[in-house]
Coordinates of all heavy atoms in Angstrom, one line a residue:
M1252 N 42.6 -101.9 37.7 CA 41.7 -101.6 36.6 C 40.5 -102.6 36.6 O 40.7 -103.8 36.7 CB 42.4 -101.7 35.2 CG 41.6 -101.4 34.1 SD 42.4 -101.1 32.5 CE 43.4 -102.6 32.3
K1253 N 39.3 -102.1 36.5 CA 38.1 -102.9 36.5 C 38.0 -103.7 35.2 O 38.5 -103.2 34.2 CB 36.8 -102.1 36.7 CG 36.8 -101.5 38.1 CD 35.5 -100.7 38.2 CE 35.5 -100.0 39.6 NZ 34.4 -99.1 39.7
E1254 N 37.4 -104.8 35.2 CA 37.3 -105.7 34.1 C 36.1 -105.1 33.2 O 35.0 -105.1 33.6 CB 37.0 -107.1 34.5 CG 37.0 -108.1 33.3 CD 38.3 -108.8 33.2 OE1 39.1 -108.7 34.1 OE2 38.4 -109.4 32.1
I1255 N 36.4 -104.7 32.0 CA 35.4 -104.2 31.0 C 35.3 -105.3 30.0 O 36.3 -105.7 29.4 CB 35.9 -102.9 30.4 CG1 36.1 -101.8 31.4 CG2 34.8 -102.5 29.3 CD1 34.9 -101.3 32.1
P1256 N 34.1 -105.8 29.7 CA 33.9 -106.9 28.8 C 34.2 -106.4 27.3 O 33.5 -105.5 26.8 CB 32.4 -107.3 28.9 CG 31.8 -106.1 29.5 CD 32.8 -105.4 30.3
V1257 N 35.2 -106.9 26.7 CA 35.6 -106.6 25.4 C 36.1 -107.9 24.7 O 36.5 -108.8 25.3 CB 36.7 -105.5 25.3 CG1 36.1 -104.2 25.7 CG2 37.9 -105.9 26.1
N1258 N 35.9 -107.9 23.4 CA 36.4 -109.1 22.6 C 37.8 -108.8 22.2 O 38.4 -107.8 22.4 CB 35.5 -109.2 21.3 CG 34.1 -109.6 21.7 OD1 33.8 -110.2 22.7 ND2 33.2 -109.1 20.9
A1259 N 38.5 -109.9 21.7 CA 39.9 -109.8 21.3 C 40.1 -108.7 20.2 O 41.0 -107.9 20.3 CB 40.4 -111.1 20.8
M1260 N 39.2 -108.7 19.2 CA 39.3 -107.7 18.1 C 37.9 -107.4 17.6 O 37.3 -108.4 17.2 CB 40.3 -108.1 17.0 CG 40.6 -107.1 15.9 SD 41.2 -105.5 16.6 CE 43.0 -105.9 16.6
R1261 N 37.5 -106.2 17.6 CA 36.2 -105.8 17.1 C 36.2 -105.8 15.5 O 37.1 -105.4 14.9 CB 35.8 -104.5 17.6 CG 35.8 -104.4 19.1 CD 34.7 -105.3 19.6 NE 34.7 -105.3 21.1 CZ 33.6 -105.3 21.8 NH1 32.4 -105.2 21.3 NH2 33.7 -105.3 23.1
K1262 N 35.1 -106.3 15.0 CA 35.0 -106.4 13.5 C 34.5 -105.1 12.9 O 34.6 -104.9 11.7 CB 34.0 -107.5 13.1 CG 34.6 -108.9 13.5 CD 33.7 -110.0 13.1 CE 34.3 -111.3 13.5 NZ 33.5 -112.4 13.2
G1263 N 33.9 -104.2 13.6 CA 33.4 -102.9 13.1 C 33.5 -101.8 14.1 O 34.1 -101.9 15.1
D1264 N 32.7 -100.8 13.8 CA 32.6 -99.7 14.8 C 31.8 -100.1 16.0 O 30.9 -101.0 15.9 CB 31.8 -98.5 14.1 CG 32.4 -98.0 12.8 OD1 33.7 -98.2 12.7 OD2 31.7 -97.6 11.9
W1265 N 32.2 -99.6 17.2 CA 31.6 -100.0 18.4 C 31.7 -99.0 19.5 O 32.4 -98.0 19.3 CB 32.1 -101.4 18.9 CG 33.6 -101.4 19.3 CD1 34.7 -101.2 18.5 CD2 34.1 -101.6 20.6 NE1 35.8 -101.2 19.2 CE2 35.5 -101.5 20.5 CE3 33.5 -101.8 21.8 CZ2 36.4 -101.6 21.6 CZ3 34.4 -102.0 22.9 CH2 35.8 -101.9 22.8
S1266 N 31.1 -99.2 20.6 CA 31.1 -98.2 21.7 C 31.4 -98.9 23.0 O 31.1 -100.1 23.2 CB 29.7 -97.6 21.9 OG 29.4 -96.8 20.7
L1267 N 32.1 -98.2 23.9 CA 32.4 -98.6 25.2 C 31.9 -97.6 26.2 O 32.3 -96.5 26.2 CB 33.9 -98.8 25.4 CG 34.4 -99.2 26.8 CD1 33.9 -100.6 27.2 CD2 35.9 -99.2 26.8
N1268 N 30.9 -98.0 27.0 CA 30.3 -97.1 28.0 C 31.0 -97.3 29.3 O 30.9 -98.3 30.0 CB 28.8 -97.4 28.1 CG 28.1 -96.4 28.9 OD1 28.7 -95.7 29.7 ND2 26.8 -96.4 28.8
L1269 N 31.7 -96.3 29.7 CA 32.4 -96.3 31.0 C 31.6 -95.7 32.2 O 32.1 -95.7 33.3 CB 33.7 -95.5 30.9 CG 34.7 -96.1 29.8 CD1 35.9 -95.2 29.8 CD2 35.1 -97.5 30.1
E1270 N 30.4 -95.2 31.9 CA 29.6 -94.4 32.9 C 29.3 -95.3 34.1 O 29.3 -94.8 35.2 CB 28.3 -93.9 32.2 CG 28.5 -92.8 31.3 CD 27.1 -92.3 30.9 OE1 26.5 -93.0 30.1 OE2 26.8 -91.2 31.4
E1271 N 28.9 -96.5 33.9 CA 28.5 -97.4 35.0 C 29.6 -98.0 35.7 O 29.5 -98.5 36.8 CB 27.5 -98.4 34.5 CG 26.2 -97.8 34.0 CD 25.2 -98.8 33.5 OE1 25.4 -100.0 33.7 OE2 24.2 -98.4 32.8
E1272 N 30.8 -98.1 35.1 CA 31.9 -98.8 35.6 C 32.8 -97.9 36.5 O 33.5 -98.4 37.4 CB 32.7 -99.4 34.5 CG 32.0 -100.5 33.7 CD 31.6 -101.7 34.5 OE1 32.4 -102.1 35.4 OE2 30.6 -102.3 34.3
Y1273 N 32.8 -96.6 36.1 CA 33.8 -95.7 36.7 C 33.1 -94.4 37.2 O 32.1 -94.1 36.7 CB 34.9 -95.3 35.8 CG 35.7 -96.5 35.3 CD1 35.6 -97.0 34.0 CD2 36.7 -97.0 36.1 CE1 36.3 -98.1 33.6 CE2 37.5 -98.1 35.7 CZ 37.3 -98.6 34.4 OH 38.1 -99.7 34.0
G1274 N 33.8 -93.7 38.1 CA 33.3 -92.5 38.6 C 34.5 -91.6 39.0 O 35.7 -91.8 38.6
P1275 N 34.2 -90.5 39.6 CA 35.3 -89.5 40.1 C 36.4 -90.3 40.8 O 36.1 -91.2 41.6 CB 34.5 -88.5 41.0 CG 33.1 -88.6 40.5 CD 32.9 -90.0 40.1
G1276 N 37.6 -89.9 40.5 CA 38.8 -90.5 41.2 C 39.3 -91.7 40.4 O 40.3 -92.3 40.8
E1277 N 38.6 -92.1 39.4 CA 39.1 -93.3 38.6 C 39.4 -92.9 37.1 O 39.3 -93.8 36.2 CB 38.0 -94.4 38.6 CG 37.6 -94.9 40.0 CD 36.5 -95.9 40.0 OE1 35.4 -95.6 39.5 OE2 36.8 -97.0 40.4
E1278 N 39.8 -91.7 36.9 CA 40.1 -91.2 35.6 C 41.2 -92.0 34.9 O 41.2 -92.3 33.7 CB 40.5 -89.7 35.6 CG 39.3 -88.8 36.0 CD 39.0 -88.7 37.5 OE1 39.7 -89.3 38.3 OE2 38.1 -87.9 37.8
E1279 N 42.3 -92.3 35.7 CA 43.4 -93.1 35.0 C 43.0 -94.5 34.6 O 43.4 -95.0 33.6 CB 44.6 -93.1 36.0 CG 45.3 -91.8 36.3 CD 45.7 -91.1 35.0 OE1 46.2 -91.7 34.1 OE2 45.4 -89.8 34.9
E1280 N 42.1 -95.1 35.4 CA 41.6 -96.4 35.0 C 40.7 -96.3 33.7 O 40.7 -97.2 32.9 CB 40.7 -97.0 36.1 CG 41.6 -97.4 37.3 CD 41.8 -96.2 38.3 OE1 41.5 -95.1 38.0 OE2 42.2 -96.6 39.5
M1281 N 39.9 -95.2 33.6 CA 39.1 -95.0 32.4 C 40.0 -94.8 31.2 O 39.7 -95.4 30.1 CB 38.3 -93.7 32.5 CG 37.1 -93.9 33.4 SD 36.0 -92.4 33.4 CE 36.2 -91.9 35.0
V1282 N 41.1 -94.1 31.3 CA 42.1 -93.9 30.2 C 42.7 -95.3 29.9 O 42.8 -95.6 28.7 CB 43.2 -92.9 30.6 CG1 44.3 -92.9 29.5 CG2 42.5 -91.5 30.7
A1283 N 43.1 -96.1 30.8 CA 43.7 -97.4 30.6 C 42.7 -98.3 29.8 O 43.0 -99.0 28.9 CB 44.1 -98.0 31.9
S1284 N 41.4 -98.3 30.3 CA 40.4 -99.1 29.6 C 40.2 -98.6 28.2 O 39.9 -99.4 27.3 CB 39.1 -99.1 30.4 OG 39.2 -99.8 31.6
S1285 N 40.2 -97.3 28.0 CA 40.0 -96.8 26.7 C 41.2 -97.1 25.7 O 41.0 -97.4 24.5 CB 39.9 -95.2 26.8 OG 38.8 -94.9 27.6
V1286 N 42.4 -97.1 26.2 CA 43.6 -97.5 25.4 C 43.4 -99.0 25.0 O 43.6 -99.3 23.8 CB 44.9 -97.3 26.2 CG1 46.0 -98.0 25.4 CG2 45.2 -95.8 26.3
E1287 N 42.9 -99.8 25.9 CA 42.7 -101.2 25.6 C 41.6 -101.3 24.5 O 41.7 -102.1 23.5 CB 42.3 -102.0 26.8 CG 42.0 -103.4 26.6 CD 43.2 -104.2 26.2 OE1 44.4 -103.8 26.4 OE2 43.0 -105.3 25.5
A1288 N 40.6 -100.5 24.6 CA 39.5 -100.5 23.6 C 40.0 -100.1 22.2 O 39.7 -100.7 21.2 CB 38.3 -99.6 24.0
V1289 N 40.8 -99.1 22.2 CA 41.4 -98.6 20.9 C 42.3 -99.7 20.3 O 42.2 -100.0 19.1 CB 42.2 -97.3 21.1 CG1 42.9 -97.0 19.8 CG2 41.2 -96.2 21.5
S1290 N 43.0 -100.4 21.1 CA 43.9 -101.5 20.6 C 43.1 -102.6 20.1 O 43.6 -103.4 19.2 CB 44.8 -102.0 21.7 OG 44.1 -102.8 22.7
Q1291 N 41.8 -102.8 20.4 CA 41.0 -103.8 19.9 C 40.1 -103.4 18.8 O 39.2 -104.1 18.4 CB 40.1 -104.4 21.1 CG 41.0 -105.0 22.1 CD 40.2 -105.5 23.3 OE1 39.0 -105.4 23.4 NE2 40.9 -105.9 24.4
T1292 N 40.3 -102.2 18.3 CA 39.5 -101.7 17.2 C 40.3 -101.8 15.9 O 41.4 -101.3 15.8 CB 39.1 -100.2 17.4 OG1 38.4 -100.1 18.7 CG2 38.3 -99.6 16.3
K1293 N 39.7 -102.5 14.9 CA 40.4 -102.7 13.6 C 40.6 -101.3 12.9 O 39.8 -100.4 13.1 CB 39.6 -103.6 12.7 CG 39.7 -105.0 13.1 CD 39.1 -105.9 12.0 CE 39.3 -107.3 12.4 NZ 38.9 -108.2 11.3
R1294 N 41.7 -101.3 12.1 CA 41.9 -100.1 11.3 C 40.7 -99.8 10.4 O 40.0 -100.7 10.0 CB 43.1 -100.4 10.4 CG 44.4 -100.5 11.1 CD 45.3 -99.4 10.8 NE 46.6 -99.6 11.5 CZ 47.2 -98.6 12.1 NH1 46.7 -97.4 12.1 NH2 48.3 -98.8 12.7
E1295 N 40.5 -98.6 10.1 CA 39.4 -98.1 9.3 C 38.0 -98.2 10.0 O 37.0 -98.1 9.4 CB 39.3 -98.7 7.9 CG 40.6 -98.5 7.1 CD 40.5 -99.1 5.7 OE1 39.5 -99.6 5.3 OE2 41.6 -99.1 5.1
H1296 N 38.1 -98.3 11.4 CA 36.9 -98.3 12.2 C 37.1 -97.4 13.4 O 38.2 -96.9 13.6 CB 36.6 -99.8 12.7 CG 36.1 -100.6 11.5 ND1 34.8 -100.6 11.0 CD2 36.8 -101.6 10.8 CE1 34.8 -101.5 10.0 NE2 35.9 -102.1 9.9
Y1297 N 36.0 -97.2 14.1 CA 36.2 -96.4 15.3 C 35.5 -97.0 16.5 O 34.7 -97.9 16.4 CB 35.6 -95.0 15.1 CG 34.1 -94.9 14.9 CD1 33.2 -95.0 16.0 CD2 33.6 -94.8 13.6 CE1 31.8 -95.0 15.8 CE2 32.2 -94.8 13.4 CZ 31.3 -94.8 14.5 OH 30.0 -94.8 14.3
V1298 N 35.9 -96.5 17.7 CA 35.3 -96.8 19.0 C 34.8 -95.5 19.6 O 35.6 -94.5 19.6 CB 36.2 -97.6 19.9 CG1 37.5 -96.9 20.2 CG2 35.5 -98.0 21.2
N1299 N 33.6 -95.5 20.0 CA 33.0 -94.4 20.8 C 33.3 -94.8 22.3 O 33.0 -95.8 22.8 CB 31.5 -94.3 20.6 CG 31.2 -93.7 19.3 OD1 31.9 -92.9 18.8 ND2 30.1 -94.1 18.7
I1300 N 33.9 -93.8 23.0 CA 34.1 -94.0 24.5 C 33.1 -93.0 25.2 O 33.2 -91.8 24.9 CB 35.5 -93.7 24.9 CG1 36.5 -94.5 24.1 CG2 35.7 -93.9 26.4 CD1 36.5 -96.0 24.3
I1301 N 32.3 -93.5 26.0 CA 31.3 -92.7 26.8 C 31.8 -92.6 28.2 O 32.0 -93.5 28.9 CB 29.9 -93.3 26.7 CG1 29.4 -93.4 25.3 CG2 28.9 -92.4 27.6 CD1 29.4 -94.7 24.7
T1302 N 32.1 -91.3 28.6 CA 32.6 -91.0 29.9 C 31.5 -90.4 30.7 O 30.6 -89.8 30.2 CB 33.8 -90.1 29.9 OG1 33.5 -88.9 29.1 CG2 35.0 -90.8 29.2
P1303 N 31.6 -90.6 32.1 CA 30.5 -90.0 32.9 C 30.3 -88.5 32.8 O 31.3 -87.8 32.8 CB 31.0 -90.4 34.3 CG 32.0 -91.5 34.1 CD 32.6 -91.3 32.8
G1304 N 29.1 -88.1 32.8 CA 28.8 -86.7 32.7 C 29.3 -85.9 33.9 O 29.6 -84.7 33.8
D1305 N 29.3 -86.5 35.1 CA 29.7 -85.7 36.3 C 31.2 -85.4 36.3 O 31.6 -84.7 37.2 CB 29.3 -86.4 37.6 CG 29.8 -87.8 37.8 OD1 30.4 -88.4 36.8 OD2 29.6 -88.4 38.8
L1306 N 31.9 -85.9 35.4 CA 33.4 -85.6 35.3 C 33.6 -84.4 34.4 O 34.7 -83.9 34.2 CB 34.2 -86.8 34.8 CG 34.2 -87.9 35.8 CD1 35.0 -89.1 35.3 CD2 34.9 -87.5 37.1
G1307 N 32.6 -83.9 33.7 CA 32.7 -82.8 32.8 C 33.2 -83.1 31.4 O 33.4 -84.3 31.1
S1308 N 33.3 -82.1 30.6 CA 33.7 -82.3 29.2 C 35.0 -83.0 29.1 O 36.0 -82.7 29.7 CB 33.8 -80.9 28.5 OG 34.3 -81.1 27.2
P1309 N 35.0 -84.1 28.2 CA 36.3 -84.8 28.0 C 37.3 -84.0 27.3 O 38.5 -84.3 27.4 CB 35.8 -86.0 27.1 CG 34.5 -85.5 26.5 CD 33.9 -84.6 27.4
E1310 N 37.0 -82.9 26.7 CA 38.0 -82.0 26.1 C 38.9 -81.4 27.1 O 40.1 -81.1 26.8 CB 37.3 -80.9 25.3 CG 36.5 -81.3 24.1 CD 35.7 -80.2 23.5 OE1 34.8 -79.6 24.2 OE2 36.0 -79.9 22.3
E1311 N 38.5 -81.3 28.3 CA 39.3 -80.7 29.4 C 40.2 -81.7 30.1 O 41.2 -81.3 30.6 CB 38.4 -80.0 30.4 CG 37.6 -78.9 29.7 CD 36.6 -78.2 30.7 OE1 36.6 -78.5 31.9 OE2 35.7 -77.5 30.1
W1312 N 39.8 -83.0 30.2 CA 40.5 -83.9 31.0 C 40.8 -85.2 30.3 O 41.9 -85.7 30.4 CB 39.9 -84.1 32.4 CG 38.6 -84.9 32.3 CD1 37.3 -84.4 32.0 CD2 38.4 -86.3 32.3 NE1 36.4 -85.4 31.9 CE2 37.1 -86.6 32.1 CE3 39.3 -87.4 32.5 CZ2 36.6 -87.9 32.1 CZ3 38.8 -88.7 32.5 CH2 37.5 -88.9 32.4
F1313 N 39.8 -85.8 29.7 CA 40.0 -87.1 29.1 C 40.8 -87.2 27.8 O 41.7 -88.0 27.7 CB 38.6 -87.7 28.9 CG 38.6 -89.1 28.3 CD1 39.0 -90.2 29.0 CD2 38.1 -89.3 27.0 CE1 39.0 -91.5 28.5 CE2 38.1 -90.6 26.5 CZ 38.6 -91.7 27.2
I1314 N 40.4 -86.3 26.9 CA 41.1 -86.4 25.6 C 42.6 -86.1 25.7 O 43.4 -86.9 25.1 CB 40.4 -85.4 24.6 CG1 39.0 -86.0 24.2 CG2 41.3 -85.2 23.3 CD1 38.2 -85.2 23.3
P1315 N 43.1 -85.1 26.4 CA 44.5 -84.9 26.6 C 45.2 -86.1 27.2 O 46.3 -86.5 26.7 CB 44.7 -83.7 27.5 CG 43.4 -82.9 27.3 CD 42.3 -84.0 27.1
R1316 N 44.6 -86.7 28.2 CA 45.2 -87.9 28.8 C 45.2 -89.1 27.9 O 46.2 -89.9 27.8 CB 44.5 -88.3 30.1 CG 44.6 -87.3 31.2 CD 43.9 -87.7 32.4 NE 43.9 -86.7 33.5 CZ 43.4 -86.9 34.7 NH1 42.8 -88.0 35.0 NH2 43.4 -85.9 35.5
L1317 N 44.1 -89.3 27.2 CA 44.0 -90.4 26.2 C 45.1 -90.2 25.1 O 45.7 -91.2 24.7 CB 42.6 -90.5 25.7 CG 42.4 -91.7 24.7 CD1 42.7 -93.0 25.3 CD2 40.9 -91.7 24.2
E1318 N 45.2 -89.1 24.6 CA 46.2 -88.8 23.5 C 47.6 -89.2 24.0 O 48.4 -89.8 23.3 CB 46.1 -87.4 23.0 CG 44.9 -87.1 22.2 CD 44.8 -85.6 21.8 OE1 45.2 -84.7 22.6 OE2 44.3 -85.3 20.7
R1319 N 47.9 -88.7 25.2 CA 49.2 -89.0 25.8 C 49.4 -90.5 26.0 O 50.5 -91.1 25.6 CB 49.4 -88.2 27.1 CG 50.7 -88.3 27.7 CD 50.9 -87.3 28.9 NE 49.8 -87.2 29.8 CZ 49.0 -86.2 29.9 NH1 49.1 -85.2 29.1 NH2 48.0 -86.2 30.8
A1320 N 48.4 -91.2 26.5 CA 48.5 -92.6 26.7 C 48.7 -93.4 25.4 O 49.4 -94.4 25.4 CB 47.3 -93.1 27.5
L1321 N 47.9 -93.0 24.4 CA 48.0 -93.7 23.1 C 49.4 -93.5 22.5 O 50.0 -94.5 22.0 CB 46.9 -93.2 22.2 CG 45.5 -93.6 22.5 CD1 44.5 -92.8 21.7 CD2 45.3 -95.1 22.3
S1322 N 49.9 -92.3 22.6 CA 51.3 -92.0 22.1 C 52.3 -92.8 22.9 O 53.2 -93.4 22.3 CB 51.6 -90.5 22.3 OG 52.9 -90.2 21.9
E1323 N 52.2 -92.9 24.2 CA 53.2 -93.7 25.0 C 53.1 -95.2 24.7 O 54.1 -95.8 24.7 CB 52.9 -93.5 26.5 CG 53.2 -92.1 27.0 CD 52.7 -91.8 28.4 OE1 52.1 -92.7 29.0 OE2 53.0 -90.7 28.9
K1324 N 52.0 -95.7 24.3 CA 51.8 -97.1 23.9 C 52.2 -97.3 22.4 O 52.3 -98.5 22.0 CB 50.4 -97.6 24.1 CG 50.0 -97.7 25.5 CD 50.5 -98.9 26.1 CE 49.9 -99.1 27.5 NZ 50.4 -100.2 28.2
G1325 N 52.5 -96.2 21.7 CA 52.8 -96.4 20.3 C 51.6 -96.9 19.5 O 51.8 -97.6 18.5
L1326 N 50.4 -96.5 19.9 CA 49.2 -97.0 19.2 C 48.7 -95.9 18.3 O 48.1 -94.9 18.8 CB 48.2 -97.3 20.3 CG 46.9 -98.1 19.9 CD1 47.2 -99.4 19.2 CD2 46.1 -98.3 21.1
P1327 N 48.9 -96.0 17.0 CA 48.5 -95.0 16.1 C 47.0 -94.9 15.9 O 46.3 -95.9 15.9 CB 49.2 -95.4 14.8 CG 49.3 -96.8 14.9 CD 49.5 -97.2 16.3
V1328 N 46.5 -93.7 15.8 CA 45.1 -93.4 15.5 C 45.0 -92.4 14.4 O 45.8 -91.5 14.2 CB 44.3 -93.0 16.7 CG1 44.2 -94.0 17.8 CG2 44.8 -91.7 17.3
E1329 N 43.9 -92.5 13.6 CA 43.7 -91.5 12.5 C 43.2 -90.2 13.0 O 43.6 -89.1 12.6 CB 42.7 -92.1 11.5 CG 43.3 -93.2 10.6 CD 44.4 -92.7 9.7 OE1 44.3 -91.6 9.1 OE2 45.4 -93.4 9.6
K1330 N 42.2 -90.3 14.0 CA 41.6 -89.1 14.5 C 41.0 -89.4 15.8 O 40.4 -90.5 16.0 CB 40.5 -88.6 13.5 CG 39.9 -87.3 13.8 CD 39.0 -86.7 12.7 CE 38.3 -87.6 11.8 NZ 37.3 -87.0 10.9
L1331 N 41.0 -88.4 16.7 CA 40.4 -88.5 18.0 C 39.6 -87.2 18.2 O 40.2 -86.1 18.1 CB 41.5 -88.6 19.1 CG 41.1 -89.0 20.5 CD1 42.2 -89.7 21.1 CD2 40.6 -87.8 21.3
L1332 N 38.3 -87.3 18.4 CA 37.5 -86.1 18.5 C 36.3 -86.2 19.5 O 35.9 -87.3 19.8 CB 36.9 -85.7 17.2 CG 36.0 -86.7 16.4 CD1 34.6 -86.3 16.7 CD2 36.3 -86.6 14.9
Y1333 N 36.0 -85.1 20.0 CA 34.8 -85.0 20.9 C 33.6 -84.9 20.1 O 33.5 -84.1 19.2 CB 35.0 -83.7 21.8 CG 33.7 -83.4 22.6 CD1 33.3 -84.2 23.6 CD2 33.1 -82.2 22.3 CE1 32.1 -83.9 24.3 CE2 31.9 -81.9 23.1 CZ 31.5 -82.7 24.0 OH 30.3 -82.4 24.7
V1334 N 32.6 -85.8 20.3 CA 31.4 -85.9 19.5 C 30.3 -85.0 20.2 O 29.7 -84.2 19.5 CB 30.9 -87.3 19.4 CG1 29.5 -87.3 18.7 CG2 31.9 -88.1 18.6
G1335 N 30.1 -85.1 21.5 CA 29.1 -84.4 22.2 C 28.5 -85.1 23.4 O 29.0 -86.2 23.7
E1336 N 27.5 -84.6 24.0 CA 26.8 -85.2 25.1 C 25.8 -86.2 24.5 O 25.2 -86.0 23.5 CB 26.0 -84.1 25.9 CG 26.6 -83.9 27.2 CD 25.8 -82.9 28.1 OE1 25.9 -81.7 27.8 OE2 25.2 -83.4 29.0
C1337 N 25.7 -87.3 25.2 CA 24.7 -88.3 24.8 C 23.4 -88.1 25.7 O 23.5 -87.4 26.7 CB 25.2 -89.7 24.9 SG 25.8 -90.2 26.5
G1338 N 22.3 -88.7 25.3 CA 21.1 -88.5 26.0 C 21.1 -89.0 27.5 O 20.3 -88.5 28.3
C1339 N 22.1 -89.8 27.8 CA 22.1 -90.3 29.2 C 22.9 -89.4 30.1 O 23.0 -89.6 31.3 CB 22.8 -91.7 29.2 SG 24.4 -91.7 28.4
G1340 N 23.5 -88.3 29.6 CA 24.2 -87.3 30.4 C 25.7 -87.5 30.3 O 26.4 -86.6 30.8
G1341 N 26.2 -88.5 29.7 CA 27.6 -88.7 29.5 C 28.1 -88.0 28.3 O 27.4 -87.3 27.6
Y1342 N 29.4 -88.2 28.0 CA 30.0 -87.5 26.9 C 30.7 -88.6 26.0 O 31.2 -89.6 26.4 CB 31.1 -86.6 27.4 CG 30.6 -85.4 28.2 CD1 30.5 -85.5 29.5 CD2 30.2 -84.3 27.5 CE1 30.0 -84.4 30.3 CE2 29.7 -83.2 28.2 CZ 29.7 -83.2 29.6 OH 29.2 -82.2 30.3
I1343 N 30.6 -88.3 24.7 CA 31.1 -89.3 23.7 C 32.4 -88.7 23.1 O 32.4 -87.6 22.6 CB 30.1 -89.5 22.6 CG1 28.8 -90.0 23.2 CG2 30.6 -90.5 21.5 CD1 27.6 -90.0 22.2
T1344 N 33.4 -89.5 23.1 CA 34.7 -89.3 22.4 C 34.8 -90.4 21.4 O 34.7 -91.6 21.7 CB 35.9 -89.3 23.4 OG1 35.6 -88.2 24.3 CG2 37.2 -89.0 22.6
R1345 N 35.1 -90.1 20.1 CA 35.3 -91.0 19.1 C 36.7 -91.1 18.6 O 37.4 -90.1 18.4 CB 34.4 -90.7 17.9 CG 34.5 -91.7 16.7 CD 33.4 -91.4 15.7 NE 32.1 -91.7 16.3 CZ 31.0 -91.3 15.8 NH1 31.0 -90.6 14.7 NH2 29.8 -91.5 16.4
I1346 N 37.2 -92.3 18.6 CA 38.6 -92.6 18.2 C 38.6 -93.4 16.9 O 38.2 -94.6 16.9 CB 39.5 -93.3 19.3 CG1 39.4 -92.4 20.6 CG2 40.9 -93.5 18.8 CD1 38.4 -92.9 21.6
Y1347 N 39.1 -92.9 15.8 CA 39.2 -93.6 14.5 C 40.6 -94.2 14.4 O 41.6 -93.6 14.7 CB 39.1 -92.6 13.3 CG 37.7 -92.0 13.2 CD1 37.4 -90.8 13.8 CD2 36.8 -92.7 12.4 CE1 36.1 -90.3 13.6 CE2 35.5 -92.1 12.2 CZ 35.2 -90.9 12.8 OH 34.0 -90.3 12.7
R1348 N 40.6 -95.5 14.1 CA 41.9 -96.2 13.8 C 42.2 -96.1 12.4 O 43.0 -96.1 11.7 CB 41.7 -97.7 14.1 CG 41.7 -98.0 15.6 CD 42.9 -97.8 16.4 NE 44.1 -98.2 15.8 CZ 44.8 -99.3 16.1 NH1 44.3 -100.2 16.9 NH2 45.9 -99.6 15.5

């Protein structure tokens, strides 16, 4: 897994951009980094995860894998939803703790 700069615990809502760090063939690593990001998000806040546009809609591949990984880690979330495409061509998924 590539090193993604994150703090021990985020104080508010924040975003993690995976577009420049990962590409095709690294989907499992993206999910692992996203689980770590969720674990560092305080309750009653959210983290936006931006996945690369060339991997397609996160509803088809990312969200199901992330939901499964969060469940396997026993990491509870309030809501996980697809927000939409961002101006840079990537996709935004928001995870509320």
Side-chain angles (χ1 to χ4, degrees):
M1252 178 169 54
K1253 293 181 184 176
E1254 187 97 12
I1255 301 291
V1257 290
N1258 295 329
M1260 186 57 85
R1261 300 295 175 138
K1262 294 182 180 180
D1264 303 331
W1265 66 292
S1266 296
L1267 177 63
N1268 187 344
L1269 301 177
E1270 286 186 291
E1271 295 178 10
E1272 299 294 326
Y1273 298 105
E1277 298 178 301
E1278 292 85 355
E1279 292 307 315
E1280 291 88 347
M1281 283 187 245
V1282 171
S1284 290
S1285 299
V1286 168
E1287 181 65 23
V1289 171
S1290 75
Q1291 295 174 7
T1292 303
K1293 285 189 173 187
R1294 295 247 184 221
E1295 300 182 10
H1296 291 280
Y1297 65 81
V1298 57
N1299 287 325
I1300 307 290
I1301 299 102
T1302 53
D1305 58 353
L1306 293 176
S1308 173
E1310 293 173 299
E1311 298 173 15
W1312 69 274
F1313 179 69
I1314 291 174
R1316 290 181 189 185
L1317 181 57
E1318 287 175 326
R1319 188 170 41 256
L1321 291 168
S1322 176
E1323 288 171 0
K1324 291 280 186 183
L1326 192 57
V1328 296
E1329 287 295 318
K1330 185 172 23 172
L1331 192 152
L1332 60 95
Y1333 169 65
V1334 174
E1336 250 184 284
C1337 58
C1339 56
Y1342 293 94
I1343 304 167
T1344 301
R1345 182 170 292 163
I1346 302 99
Y1347 291 90
R1348 288 291 319 262

